[in-house]
Amino acid sequence: MQSALARNRVNVTGQGTQALIFVHGFGCAQDDWRKVAPKFERDYKVIRYDLSGCGDASDAYDLERHHSLQGHATDLLEIVHELGLTQPFLVGHAAGAISGALAAIREPQTFAKLALLGAPPHYIDEPGYVGGASRTQIEAIVRGLEADYPIWCEQTVPLAMGHPSRPQLEAELVRSYQRIEPDIAMHFAHAQFYSDFRSALPFVTTPTLVVQSPADMFVPFAVGQFLSQVIPSAELIQLQTLGHYPQLTGPDELASVLHRWAAI
């Protein structure tokens, strides 16, 4: 049986004893953290990995296991246990953030701290909740993805990044999305865009920092406010960096926020 470390291409660097895990979101890979993670290697043991289906872990994706983000939470817990980590800190982005929160609910003593970046528990607007899109809009997004995934990436990813003056960075992120096999991307997208984990969040007992961009096409600021209100021990920090990928477009600001969070 393949180990979790090999399955998800786990990469461990750094010199510290306290472990710090970075988890990327849909469409990306562990390289998503290349501008942030090295800034922590002097003081922390830094762990990065590819979510199943993404990056170099496409063969790790299982249609049954990963029909929900709970499957990615299981992957994460297996990695933590296989490495023998004691109360690591976790930084998660988007689907990786929600997977981290689900893992912390399942095993409340496993993580010492969570930092959730652009973390959507539900994408669809509901009475009393702003998710960022109507069900009709989400259905249109998914239909576009299913019709022609490479074109969907070229059209949608730059908008989500929110930095048209940085075409090289946009192109790099588009290529990252396009590495995912279209059938996996469609399955993962359904698991992400139609999920609703709002009722689970009050069971997150791990101290949590909610990090939110003021202008995120996928995850509006109201979502960050919702997270900070329903997670019992959560604090909300608003970044100045715009867009859904501040780890790429504003790495210095994000690293500064995370350094302060980790040091408390």
Side-chain angles (χ1 to χ4, degrees), residues 192-205:
Q192 173 175 261
F193 288 125
Y194 291 112
S195 63
D196 187 352
F197 294 107
R198 290 176 295 166
S199 63
L201 295 176
F203 297 97
V204 176
T205 57

Side-chain angles (χ1 to χ4, degrees), residues 119 121 125 128-132 210 212-216 219-229 236 238:
D125 294 339
Y129 174 78
V130 177
V210 178
Q212 188 67 44
S213 166
D216 182 335
V219 187
F221 191 75
V223 172
Q225 292 175 312
F226 174 81
L227 292 175
S228 68
Q229 292 165 2
L236 174 63
Q238 177 177 313

Side-chain angles (χ1 to χ4, degrees), residues 153-187:
C153 295
E154 292 175 3
Q155 295 175 342
T156 304
V157 172
L159 293 176
M161 177 172 281
H163 289 261
S165 62
R166 306 176 73 174
Q168 181 177 352
L169 198 55
E170 287 182 349
E172 290 175 5
L173 189 58
V174 167
R175 286 195 295 271
S176 176
Y177 269 75
Q178 291 176 336
R179 287 183 65 191
I180 303 178
E181 296 177 14
D183 58 336
I184 291 176
M186 286 183 274
H187 192 268

Side-chain angles (χ1 to χ4, degrees), residues 6-88:
R7 177 193 67 206
N8 291 101
R9 311 302 192 265
V10 176
N11 181 32
V12 181
T13 58
Q15 305 176 33
T17 55
Q18 174 62 55
L20 177 56
I21 306 172
F22 289 92
V23 190
H24 66 83
F26 169 66
C28 300
Q30 61 182 277
D31 189 52
D32 201 31
W33 299 106
R34 67 187 182 277
K35 297 185 176 185
V36 175
K39 299 178 187 294
F40 292 84
E41 290 177 346
R42 187 186 69 179
D43 301 313
Y44 298 90
K45 177 187 291 185
V46 174
I47 294 108
R48 290 182 284 169
Y49 68 95
D50 292 338
L51 288 179
S52 295
C54 299
D56 291 324
S58 61
D59 57 349
Y61 197 84
D62 182 272
L63 294 179
E64 181 176 352
R65 180 183 178 109
H66 299 108
H67 76 281
S68 163
L69 297 183
Q70 291 282 7
H72 296 285
T74 299
D75 292 346
L76 170 60
L77 289 171
E78 289 178 354
I79 290 167
V80 170
H81 296 321
E82 195 164 310
L83 286 172
L85 303 179
T86 302
Q87 290 213 304

